Amino acid sequence: MVKCFPECKEKEIEHLIKKYKARNKELDKKISDLSQQLQGCQKNVMSSGRTEFSHSPIIYMVTPTHTHSEQKANLVRLSHTLLHVKNIHWIVVEDSVSKTVLVSKFLQNSGVKNTHLAALTPHEIKMKYNDPTWLKPKGVLQRNAALQWIRENVKPNRDGGVVYFADDDNTYSLEIFQEMRNTKKVTVWPVGLVGGLRYEKPVVKDGKVTGWFTYWKPNRPFPMDMAGFAVNVNLFFKFPDARFSNEVPRGFLESTILEQLNVKMEDLEPRAENCSKVLVWHTRTEKTKLKNEQLMIKQHGQGSDTNIEV
């Protein structure tokens, strides 16, 4: 056995250090190469995403809203859905003489591209707090204000797009926005929890709408909920006088606007797997009972701090 002297061990250690440094240099080069490849892939993905985004038709989503205790909660919930939807322009129209601070601040911080408008409903046709929801047409002047903005600001031949009328307390699957994205004229689909039924829907046969599954006034021209259709934006330019009206009978808002756009049954484009899937629900936010506010004032001299935004 050869005895190894200290100088022998020192040379062996130096050799190992050189080998280690060479290996580290090789690994550093591999890491650098992989990092460059990763950056290239990220650029390709971002470029692809921008291309898809730019060629994806815009959805102009019109949402009427009014001042009430649950307003901000409704808008927050809806905005969190819209944050996941590409190429959407949210047109929020307040039933007010002017835009309120609450909604203005909310929209500024929502992260969703939006336009904020105001259109006041006259007192004589405005619903009272305790009126049943079906008593009078709602959101009429607000939707018309949004249509006016679209006609004044959208270039249909350049921008294209789809118009969807979406109440702030409904529930929307992300899928429904993809279903309406490429609307040629008018797309339709089922709506859940509406009309006293589990759902209402167009009846589809061989890819065409042939009738309606609904109980209430089934003989209406288009017996469906506002959340159950989307319209190609070009139709609102082709028929510039088409608008909603407070003068229509109960339940005829949808039918009236579609008739003004000269839509026929054969024009309807069924979506959601030939109207076999529910992707939007006509949910309603319960009115909050705030009777204890008055009791707090009576017993303690003050209620909630009105400076705290709810």
Side-chain angles (χ1 to χ4, degrees):
M1 184 174 182
V2 179
K3 188 174 181 181
C4 187
F5 295 99
E7 58 269 21
C8 178
K9 286 187 175 180
E10 187 175 338
K11 288 181 180 179
E12 184 179 347
I13 291 171
E14 287 178 357
H15 174 72
L16 289 173
I17 290 173
K18 287 181 181 179
K19 188 176 180 180
Y20 173 77
K21 287 182 176 178
R23 180 61 176 161
N24 268 3
K25 188 175 181 181
E26 183 182 340
L27 289 174
D28 285 343
K29 187 176 185 308
K30 284 187 176 180
I31 291 172
S32 177
D33 291 343
L34 289 171
S35 178
Q36 289 180 4
Q37 291 178 29
L38 178 60
Q39 289 177 8
C41 289
Q42 288 174 332
K43 287 179 181 178
N44 288 337
V45 169
M46 291 177 68
S47 175
S48 173
R50 283 194 295 268
T51 301
E52 181 182 351
F53 184 89
S54 63
H55 286 84
S56 180
I58 301 172
I59 295 173
Y60 297 98
M61 194 177 93
V62 177
T63 299
T65 185
H66 67 281
T67 300
H68 61 294
S69 300
E70 301 79 22
Q71 181 184 32
K72 185 176 180 181
N74 285 340
L75 293 173
V76 167
R77 181 173 57 241
L78 180 51
S79 73
H80 288 181
T81 296
L82 300 184
L83 284 170
H84 299 280
V85 182
K86 293 185 297 183
N87 224 14
I88 192 161
H89 189 133
W90 193 16
I91 305 175
V92 179
V93 192
E94 292 193 71
D95 188 346
S96 173
V97 68
S98 60
K99 295 179 283 188
T100 64
V101 173
L102 184 148
V103 177
S104 295
K105 285 170 55 182
F106 161 74
L107 288 173
Q108 287 169 11
N109 297 305
S110 68
V112 180
K113 183 177 181 181
N114 67 80
T115 292
H116 184 194
L117 306 172
L120 181 66
T121 301
H123 178 75
E124 58 271 18
I125 59 174
K126 197 165 187 172
M127 288 183 60
K128 307 296 187 297
Y129 180 79
N130 291 319
D131 284 345
T133 57
W134 48 262
L135 186 63
K136 298 177 182 177
K138 294 182 297 181
V140 170
L141 299 184
Q142 291 72 42
R143 294 187 186 99
N144 285 342
L147 291 178
Q148 180 178 342
W149 183 91
I150 288 171
R151 287 173 172 134
E152 292 176 353
N153 293 275
V154 174
K155 300 292 186 290
N157 295 328
R158 182 194 68 187
D159 302 328
V162 180
V163 179
Y164 184 46
F165 302 101
D167 290 347
D168 59 5
D169 57 350
N170 285 350
T171 303
Y172 305 90
S173 165
L174 295 180
E175 292 175 74
I176 197 62
F177 299 101
Q178 284 306 106
E179 294 291 322
M180 72 178 72
R181 182 78 66 178
N182 294 299
T183 298
K184 295 177 181 177
K185 198 165 188 179
V186 177
T187 45
V188 293
W189 47 78
V191 177
L193 309 178
V194 68
L197 298 170
R198 293 176 60 242
Y199 59 82
E200 291 181 337
K201 65 184 289 293
V203 175
V204 178
K205 185 176 181 181
D206 298 327
K208 294 289 186 180
V209 175
T210 59
W212 307 92
F213 176 79
T214 184
Y215 178 79
W216 189 75
K217 292 192 176 181
N219 293 324
R220 287 173 289 161
F222 298 98
M224 57 180 170
D225 186 73
M226 195 73 70
F229 67 94
V231 180
N232 188 298
V233 71
N234 286 284
L235 279 184
F236 289 104
F237 289 87
K238 186 176 180 180
F239 299 95
D241 295 326
R243 63 193 70 251
F244 293 92
S245 171
N246 280 300
E247 304 301 320
V248 301
R250 174 189 168 196
F252 277 78
L253 278 180
E254 298 84 355
S255 294
T256 301
I257 192 69
L258 291 175
E259 286 186 320
Q260 289 182 49
L261 295 171
N262 199 32
V263 176
K264 310 298 183 187
M265 182 83 82
E266 56 267 26
D267 296 322
L268 302 180
E269 307 155 49
R271 294 289 193 265
E273 296 185 10
N274 277 328
C275 297
S276 65
K277 291 177 65 177
V278 174
L279 301 175
V280 55
W281 296 261
H282 192 266
T283 48
R284 292 175 180 168
T285 303
E286 182 180 358
K287 292 180 180 178
T288 308
K289 297 176 182 178
L290 300 174
K291 61 180 182 180
N292 287 345
E293 287 288 343
Q294 293 302 316
L295 294 176
M296 286 288 287
I297 294 172
K298 186 176 181 180
Q299 293 181 13
H300 303 286
Q302 63 179 18
S304 301
D305 185 352
T306 55
N307 293 313
I308 297 177
E309 190 176 274
V310 177

